[in-house]
Amino acid sequence: MTTSRREFLSAGALLAVGMGSAGLSDGRVEAQDKERGAVEYKAPARPVIVTRVTGDNTIAEAYAMLEKGADTLDAALHIGQGREDDPNDHSVGLGGLPNEDGVVQLDACVMHGPTRQAGSVAALENICHAALLAKTVMEKTGHVMIVGEGVEKFAIAEGFQKENLLTDDARKMWLLWKEHGKGWWGPGIDSPEWKPPAGAPKAELMPRHPTREQMAMVTERMRDLYALADRMGIEPRLRREAVMQVMWPTTGTIHVSAVNAKGEMSGATTTSGLAWKIPGRVGDSAIIGAGCYTDQNVGSAGATGSGEENIKVAGAHTIVEQMRVGASPKDAGMEALRRIAANYNHDMTRLRYIDMIYYIVRRDGAYAGVSLWSTDEWGKRKNFVVHDGTQRTEDCDYLFEGTPQNLHSI
Ligand code: GLY
């Protein structure tokens, strides 16, 4: 690298002159945007953060960071790292549930509105802070995405600590799954070859609670798993969670979108991905435009849920593009959910096995959380957290009334 800073700057100046005719700074681009129906959103009165429930103080801390002028991506990462560091959160970082070989593989991506940069990592092993590593890819390389062995090497070169992410609890849950669980091989639910699990109801609409027949099957399977967990020596304190994770493998993830009072915004998504996945499987959380998308002029969105489905509708990008032409965050999110339903021709027998929540904030501070289904497996309304000066949990708006099932629960 022999180019001096002076040469670099003058080359940049020449390039800018060359681009002058494109009118990047003379207002014509903005005028063209308006002609195309793009809405100009003003900055909000105060910062806004939307994310998943975390159960720790990091959301309030991130909000305080924004009030003191911290970068929106750093605030978003603060929340993500709280989860990544928590061994009891089995959806991200340390303590994340492993793949079918018992190896924890993480995915993450970030987008930084002010610089319009993005970074992503996938199938990352042995490094806890996947979202920070995605930011490091963004800042330190000319790439957007680095995966697998390469990203582990990059992380170590950048000073990240190598550690075993498989906790004892996660390992025991994996062992139970290996003994009695079902994997992800075979046709997916979008395949014409796919058949619903034996005993699955074929009702047009999703019942809020399982049918009696289905309930009996679920109860029997749970009983078997509890007995197996006992025989395997899994402690009583862990048994219930282990059984639940075998029957309803987590698709949990953490997404954070944030805007500050200057209207600057960022998004970050981090996950250990689908539990018991096939090694090398990458979900939506590493995919810019699916698990996370931020456009400095418009807004930011991200997802938790069935990664495969979200990739196919480029969910976060779809949402931001809807808002660009004036949609409210709620309507934009509903449109992405409708596209998932449309991919299945509204076949409820298949859609019942899909779960999705979108977290959305527009540049002007309007926000929404929207979910495909109204309730979780406990019958509790799907929710999200917003902080706009006051932190609160709000119910998601939803497309379908009912509870998603899991292919592994029956
Ligand atoms: N949404 C996380 C995943 O599917 O990997």
Side-chain angles (χ1 to χ4, degrees):
M1 287 271 267
T2 53
T3 314
S4 71
R5 183 169 157 75
R6 182 190 291 248
E7 282 165 341
F8 178 75
L9 288 177
S10 56
L14 278 175
L15 191 64
V17 169
M19 283 173 21
S21 58
L24 282 181
S25 60
D26 68 1
R28 273 181 283 169
V29 169
E30 287 81 356
Q32 281 170 1
D33 276 353
K34 265 194 203 146
E35 264 170 42
R36 294 204 319 269
V39 174
E40 200 178 313
Y41 294 110
K42 302 263 175 282
R46 60 183 81 85
V48 181
I49 297 174
V50 286
T51 187
R52 195 196 85 189
V53 175
T54 61
D56 59 20
N57 294 328
T58 54
I59 300 173
E61 288 161 4
Y63 199 84
M65 286 168 70
L66 291 179
E67 287 188 309
K68 287 190 196 125
D71 184 77
T72 47
L73 184 51
D74 291 337
L77 290 186
H78 181 72
I79 297 170
Q81 271 181 25
R83 300 293 80 226
E84 288 170 339
D85 284 334
D86 182 351
N88 296 316
D89 188 327
H90 296 299
S91 67
V92 291
L94 178 68
L97 294 180
N99 63 23
E100 65 175 19
D101 287 349
V103 178
V104 181
Q105 286 190 325
L106 308 178
D107 298 337
C109 72
V110 300
M111 283 194 90
H112 186 240
T115 57
R116 296 180 186 274
Q117 284 181 294
S120 160
V121 300
L124 166 71
E125 296 176 15
N126 303 315
I127 306 287
C128 181
H129 293 152
L132 180 63
L133 187 58
K135 180 179 183 237
T136 310
V137 169
M138 177 184 97
E139 288 177 336
K140 298 282 183 72
T141 77
H143 304 319
V144 166
M145 187 175 202
I146 309 183
V147 309
E149 243 177 76
V151 74
E152 187 179 327
K153 270 194 212 154
F154 169 77
I156 290 161
E158 284 297 322
F160 283 71
Q161 194 192 325
K162 189 169 170 163
E163 61 185 304
N164 177 16
L165 301 176
L166 185 68
T167 59
D168 204 37
D169 282 359
R171 190 180 57 82
K172 286 175 183 162
M173 291 188 225
W174 168 69
L175 286 173
L176 183 67
W177 169 79
K178 258 180 96 72
E179 281 296 311
H180 205 290
K182 301 176 188 177
W184 297 103
W185 294 85
I189 44 173
D190 58 359
S191 161
E193 311 297 318
W194 182 84
K195 296 213 170 25
K202 297 209 171 42
E204 278 304 303
L205 276 174
M206 187 67 191
R208 183 181 266 279
H209 298 292
T211 59
R212 190 183 295 210
E213 184 197 19
Q214 195 181 13
M215 200 62 206
M217 293 179 77
V218 168
T219 311
E220 192 187 318
R221 189 153 149 67
M222 278 184 113
R223 208 180 298 124
D224 288 351
L225 279 168
Y226 267 105
L228 180 62
D230 186 17
R231 287 199 300 281
M232 288 172 67
I234 294 179
E235 311 87 299
R237 68 162 180 89
L238 191 62
R239 245 173 247 169
R240 181 167 184 268
E241 192 176 2
V243 168
M244 295 304 287
Q245 288 291 2
V246 172
M247 294 183 69
W248 288 276
T250 188
T251 57
T253 294
I254 181 127
H255 169 77
V256 187
S257 276
V259 58
N260 67 16
K262 288 191 266 178
E264 295 165 344
M265 63 185 69
S266 292
T269 304
T270 179
T271 191
S272 50
L274 191 58
W276 333 128
K277 61 194 171 187
I278 296 171
R281 176 267 189 189
V282 174
D284 60 328
S285 304
I287 308 294
I288 300 288
C292 179
Y293 194 74
T294 305
D295 185 308
Q296 183 49 47
N297 292 0
V298 180
S300 181
T304 60
S306 312
E308 280 71 10
E309 304 312 322
N310 192 32
I311 290 172
K312 289 186 289 184
V313 296
H317 182 261
T318 293
I319 290 166
V320 171
E321 290 309 305
Q322 295 290 311
M323 295 196 293
R324 188 189 304 283
V325 290
S328 69
K330 175 185 161 186
D331 289 349
M334 286 295 180
E335 173 58 21
L337 294 173
R338 274 193 290 270
R339 289 185 193 192
I340 292 174
N343 273 350
Y344 287 90
N345 211 8
H346 298 87
D347 174 354
M348 303 313 271
T349 304
R350 292 178 194 245
L351 284 168
R352 75 176 70 247
Y353 297 106
I354 297 170
D355 200 3
M356 190 64 62
I357 299 184
Y358 290 116
Y359 308 80
I360 310 158
V361 65
R362 218 169 51 182
R363 183 168 190 263
D364 60 0
Y367 65 88
V370 301
S371 58
L372 189 64
W373 293 100
S374 59
T375 50
D376 64 17
E377 59 268 32
W378 313 103
K380 194 164 158 275
R381 274 291 295 276
K382 300 264 192 187
N383 58 29
F384 68 104
V385 174
V386 59
H387 199 323
D388 57 4
T390 313
Q391 181 177 328
R392 57 195 177 276
T393 301
E394 293 190 10
D395 288 343
C396 290
D397 290 295
Y398 57 85
L399 193 60
F400 299 129
E401 177 89 22
T403 308
Q405 298 296 294
N406 194 289
L407 292 169
H408 300 257
S409 64
I410 49 177

